[in-house]
Amino acid sequence: MYLHRVYSEVTLMAEQALQAGPDWRRGSVTNDGVRLATFHLGDESNPTVLLVHGWPDTHHLWTHIAPRLAEKYHVVAYDCRGFGESDRPRGVKPYRLSELADDLFAVAEEVSPDAPVHVVGHDWGSVQAWEAVSRPRARTRIASFVSVSGPNLDHLGQLLHDGVSHPTPRHLRTIAAQSVSSSYTGLFQLPVLPNLLLTAMGAPAAWKRFLHAVEGTPPENVVVADTLRRDMISGLALYRANIRQKLRRPNARITTVPVLQVVNERDIALRPAIYENTPTYASKLWRRDTPTGHWLPYTHPDYLTDTILDFLAAQSDTSPTPASVERARVFTEPRPLAGKLVVITGAGSGIGRETALALAERGCELILADLRPETAEQTAQACKLAGATAHPYELDVADTEAFVAFAEEVRDRHGVPDIVVNNAGIAVAGGALDATDEQLDRLFGVNLRGVITGSREFGRQMVERGVGGHIVNISSAAAFTPSRSLGLYSSSKAGVLLFSESLRAELAEHRIGVTAICPGIVDTAIVSSTPIAGLDPETEKSQRDRLNSFYQRRGFTPDRVAAEIVSAIEHNKAVVPVTPEAKIGYRIYRFAPWLSRIGARRKVAG
């Protein structure tokens, strides 16, 4: 009983300490008669980072982020008007974005009178910061801007107008999807009902349960002010003062302030497609897409902090630009998968090479590994011609120790990959009884153990980082097409298929997708190098030449497989039979396996 009481008291003290947040130094700034409560951390001689919260938060939103930023920067957060310890003007007009942007400049000039500030905004904090960076005044007062889960309403309004005046299927889908996600903003325009609902939700415990239910936000990470219920209701003025006005009469302007746009693909309120016209109005734009939700400062504070620190470092003339920022640069328009870090094994030829080229065209940075370093270098050069950054490596995927070291080197030099394609593979044809032990060991070392090692090593890195990812394992139609001439190869690829399906279930809770790609007859170099067990050298060469000729006549090229791989990543598919015979064989094995067994008796080679 005594121990239980002590434990409860310690737990309560820990929660109270978290709720209190960092040891802020308090201050205030007044703009046009409105007092804004400010909170400071770090050495004031360092460059200033200004943190701007959204609805229904206060400066407490930055509890997990501010202390780490303060190790290098002077950090200032403030409670926006209508929230927390700041004044709450009556009516709707005082909450227009023009007034909020004036507040931001007033705080910036007070806390950093001699140098521009770096701004980080979340939700409505980002919305009002967009208004600020779109003004000419921002050129001398704002050094950079990190936008998290908050669009520029003028950009959004212009996107809506363009969709109405020149409708396309893509525009219409974007408008329809965002209308569903934003339906709550219509409710917020009503006079009485939202006040009643928010009064019920305004208890801190209820709000934490809501965030946990809709986004899986850890309740212990959510830090709210005692004024939460009042903040929710007074903050409705943000929606009433700005949404209709901006969507009806947008005034989209160009900003020259360096902007990093953090796009959360699982944002319950904002669809990623609404940011597609941002490059039109931001001349220095970076974009980072991750499978995360709206309240990133609570769900993944370390990831967001690292992202902010990397971007701030890139704005310095004395520090090298971090690789994560280099690959996030947007020059024209955002592309699917742009800025992702990709590892591909067996990248020197065939499917691996074509997949690298396809992802290079989408703006990925590529780590290209192959047993033959000269072919990896050739693929890297081809990717660079496509405008991508590519790094060649020599790797034998069957050497587990070397593969582990390679994964560690990738993490240390380039970062945790977003996508891994375990493509390296070999084949052995002929009867299982005729194959040598050396052939057997090499086959399973490359095809199965190599895939498992790559999935495990990089999968662990993705889990530790905590913001998802995708693993693609190249299996084969042979995985579900038994054959007397390919039994060993089929079993290695069947292992890849079932391992991938199992790993997909294991990693689902971490938002890491796993795909098994199952090509059929594809014209690659693997056939010309396939040993056929049980044959003398002359007969083996004749059989191999015959098979190679057949594959070439078949004419299904590896770039078509690469296109399926890219689609599988974008749509998080589980199993993808690629060629027509693979799709047919997959269904036969599932619904009429006896046909597969009959077909297995036919000799293909050997």
Side-chain angles (χ1 to χ4, degrees), residues 273-293:
I274 68 172
Y275 303 106
E276 67 179 26
N277 66 348
T278 306
T280 304
Y281 307 106
S283 60
K284 300 175 184 177
L285 179 65
W286 290 256
R287 173 166 163 161
R288 179 78 65 84
D289 291 43
T290 52
T292 45

CSV table of all heavy atoms in Angstrom, one decimal, residues 273-293:
chain,number,residue,atom,x,y,z
A,273,ALA,N,-2.7,17.1,-51.2
A,273,ALA,CA,-2.9,17.6,-52.6
A,273,ALA,C,-3.1,19.1,-52.5
A,273,ALA,O,-2.9,19.8,-53.6
A,273,ALA,CB,-4.0,16.9,-53.3
A,274,ILE,N,-3.6,19.7,-51.4
A,274,ILE,CA,-3.9,21.1,-51.4
A,274,ILE,C,-2.6,22.0,-51.4
A,274,ILE,O,-2.7,23.2,-51.6
A,274,ILE,CB,-4.7,21.5,-50.1
A,274,ILE,CG1,-3.9,21.4,-48.8
A,274,ILE,CG2,-6.0,20.7,-50.1
A,274,ILE,CD1,-4.5,21.9,-47.6
A,275,TYR,N,-1.4,21.3,-51.3
A,275,TYR,CA,-0.2,22.1,-51.3
A,275,TYR,C,0.5,22.1,-52.7
A,275,TYR,O,1.6,22.6,-52.8
A,275,TYR,CB,0.8,21.5,-50.3
A,275,TYR,CG,0.3,21.5,-48.9
A,275,TYR,CD1,-0.1,20.3,-48.3
A,275,TYR,CD2,0.2,22.6,-48.1
A,275,TYR,CE1,-0.5,20.2,-47.0
A,275,TYR,CE2,-0.3,22.6,-46.8
A,275,TYR,CZ,-0.6,21.4,-46.2
A,275,TYR,OH,-1.1,21.4,-44.9
A,276,GLU,N,-0.2,21.6,-53.7
A,276,GLU,CA,0.4,21.4,-55.0
A,276,GLU,C,0.8,22.7,-55.7
A,276,GLU,O,1.7,22.7,-56.5
A,276,GLU,CB,-0.4,20.5,-55.9
A,276,GLU,CG,-1.7,21.2,-56.3
A,276,GLU,CD,-2.5,20.3,-57.3
A,276,GLU,OE1,-2.4,19.1,-57.2
A,276,GLU,OE2,-3.3,20.8,-58.1
A,277,ASN,N,0.1,23.8,-55.4
A,277,ASN,CA,0.5,25.0,-56.1
A,277,ASN,C,1.4,25.9,-55.3
A,277,ASN,O,1.7,27.0,-55.7
A,277,ASN,CB,-0.8,25.8,-56.5
A,277,ASN,CG,-1.5,26.3,-55.2
A,277,ASN,OD1,-1.3,25.9,-54.1
A,277,ASN,ND2,-2.5,27.2,-55.5
A,278,THR,N,1.9,25.4,-54.1
A,278,THR,CA,2.9,26.2,-53.3
A,278,THR,C,4.1,26.7,-54.1
A,278,THR,O,4.5,27.8,-53.9
A,278,THR,CB,3.3,25.5,-52.1
A,278,THR,OG1,2.1,25.0,-51.3
A,278,THR,CG2,4.1,26.3,-51.2
A,279,PRO,N,4.7,25.8,-55.0
A,279,PRO,CA,5.9,26.2,-55.7
A,279,PRO,C,5.7,27.5,-56.6
A,279,PRO,O,6.6,28.2,-56.9
A,279,PRO,CB,6.3,25.0,-56.5
A,279,PRO,CG,5.7,23.9,-55.8
A,279,PRO,CD,4.4,24.4,-55.2
A,280,THR,N,4.4,27.7,-56.9
A,280,THR,CA,4.1,28.9,-57.7
A,280,THR,C,4.4,30.2,-57.0
A,280,THR,O,4.8,31.2,-57.6
A,280,THR,CB,2.7,28.9,-58.2
A,280,THR,OG1,2.4,27.7,-58.9
A,280,THR,CG2,2.3,30.1,-59.1
A,281,TYR,N,4.3,30.1,-55.7
A,281,TYR,CA,4.3,31.3,-54.8
A,281,TYR,C,5.5,31.4,-53.9
A,281,TYR,O,5.7,32.4,-53.2
A,281,TYR,CB,3.0,31.5,-54.1
A,281,TYR,CG,1.8,31.4,-54.9
A,281,TYR,CD1,1.0,30.3,-55.0
A,281,TYR,CD2,1.5,32.5,-55.8
A,281,TYR,CE1,-0.1,30.3,-55.8
A,281,TYR,CE2,0.4,32.4,-56.6
A,281,TYR,CZ,-0.4,31.3,-56.6
A,281,TYR,OH,-1.5,31.3,-57.5
A,282,ALA,N,6.3,30.3,-53.8
A,282,ALA,CA,7.4,30.2,-52.9
A,282,ALA,C,8.7,30.0,-53.7
A,282,ALA,O,8.9,28.9,-54.2
A,282,ALA,CB,7.3,29.2,-51.8
A,283,SER,N,9.5,31.0,-53.9
A,283,SER,CA,10.7,30.9,-54.8
A,283,SER,C,11.8,30.0,-54.2
A,283,SER,O,12.6,29.5,-54.9
A,283,SER,CB,11.2,32.2,-55.1
A,283,SER,OG,11.6,32.9,-54.0
A,284,LYS,N,11.8,29.8,-52.9
A,284,LYS,CA,12.8,29.0,-52.2
A,284,LYS,C,12.1,28.0,-51.3
A,284,LYS,O,11.8,28.3,-50.2
A,284,LYS,CB,13.7,29.9,-51.4
A,284,LYS,CG,14.5,30.9,-52.2
A,284,LYS,CD,15.3,31.8,-51.2
A,284,LYS,CE,16.0,32.9,-52.0
A,284,LYS,NZ,16.8,33.8,-51.1
A,285,LEU,N,11.7,26.9,-51.9
A,285,LEU,CA,10.8,25.9,-51.2
A,285,LEU,C,11.5,24.6,-51.1
A,285,LEU,O,12.1,24.0,-52.0
A,285,LEU,CB,9.5,25.8,-52.1
A,285,LEU,CG,8.5,24.8,-51.5
A,285,LEU,CD1,7.9,25.3,-50.1
A,285,LEU,CD2,7.3,24.6,-52.5
A,286,TRP,N,11.3,24.0,-49.9
A,286,TRP,CA,11.6,22.6,-49.6
A,286,TRP,C,10.4,22.0,-49.1
A,286,TRP,O,9.5,22.6,-48.5
A,286,TRP,CB,12.7,22.5,-48.5
A,286,TRP,CG,14.1,23.0,-49.0
A,286,TRP,CD1,15.1,22.2,-49.3
A,286,TRP,CD2,14.6,24.3,-49.1
A,286,TRP,NE1,16.2,22.9,-49.6
A,286,TRP,CE2,15.9,24.3,-49.5
A,286,TRP,CE3,14.0,25.6,-48.9
A,286,TRP,CZ2,16.7,25.4,-49.7
A,286,TRP,CZ3,14.7,26.7,-49.2
A,286,TRP,CH2,16.1,26.6,-49.6
A,287,ARG,N,10.3,20.7,-49.3
A,287,ARG,CA,9.1,20.0,-48.9
A,287,ARG,C,9.4,18.6,-48.3
A,287,ARG,O,10.2,17.9,-48.9
A,287,ARG,CB,8.1,19.8,-50.0
A,287,ARG,CG,6.9,19.0,-49.7
A,287,ARG,CD,5.8,19.1,-50.8
A,287,ARG,NE,4.8,18.1,-50.7
A,287,ARG,CZ,3.6,18.1,-51.2
A,287,ARG,NH1,3.2,19.2,-51.9
A,287,ARG,NH2,2.8,17.1,-51.1
A,288,ARG,N,8.9,18.2,-47.2
A,288,ARG,CA,9.1,16.9,-46.6
A,288,ARG,C,7.7,16.3,-46.3
A,288,ARG,O,6.9,16.8,-45.5
A,288,ARG,CB,9.8,17.1,-45.2
A,288,ARG,CG,10.1,15.9,-44.4
A,288,ARG,CD,11.3,15.1,-45.0
A,288,ARG,NE,12.5,15.9,-44.9
A,288,ARG,CZ,13.3,15.8,-43.8
A,288,ARG,NH1,12.9,15.2,-42.7
A,288,ARG,NH2,14.4,16.5,-43.7
A,289,ASP,N,7.5,15.2,-47.0
A,289,ASP,CA,6.2,14.4,-46.8
A,289,ASP,C,6.5,13.2,-46.0
A,289,ASP,O,7.5,12.4,-46.2
A,289,ASP,CB,5.7,13.9,-48.2
A,289,ASP,CG,5.2,15.1,-49.0
A,289,ASP,OD1,5.9,16.1,-49.1
A,289,ASP,OD2,4.1,14.9,-49.7
A,290,THR,N,5.7,13.0,-44.9
A,290,THR,CA,5.8,11.8,-44.1
A,290,THR,C,4.5,11.2,-43.8
A,290,THR,O,3.5,12.0,-43.7
A,290,THR,CB,6.6,12.1,-42.8
A,290,THR,OG1,5.9,13.2,-42.1
A,290,THR,CG2,8.0,12.5,-43.0
A,291,PRO,N,4.4,9.9,-43.5
A,291,PRO,CA,3.1,9.3,-43.2
A,291,PRO,C,2.7,9.5,-41.7
A,291,PRO,O,2.5,8.6,-41.0
A,291,PRO,CB,3.3,7.8,-43.5
A,291,PRO,CG,4.8,7.6,-43.2
A,291,PRO,CD,5.4,8.9,-43.7
A,292,THR,N,2.6,10.8,-41.4
A,292,THR,CA,2.3,11.2,-40.0
A,292,THR,C,1.0,12.0,-40.0
A,292,THR,O,0.5,12.3,-41.0
A,292,THR,CB,3.5,12.0,-39.4
A,292,THR,OG1,3.9,13.0,-40.4
A,292,THR,CG2,4.7,11.1,-39.1
A,293,GLY,N,0.6,12.3,-38.8
A,293,GLY,CA,-0.7,13.0,-38.6
A,293,GLY,C,-0.6,14.5,-38.3
A,293,GLY,O,0.6,15.0,-38.3
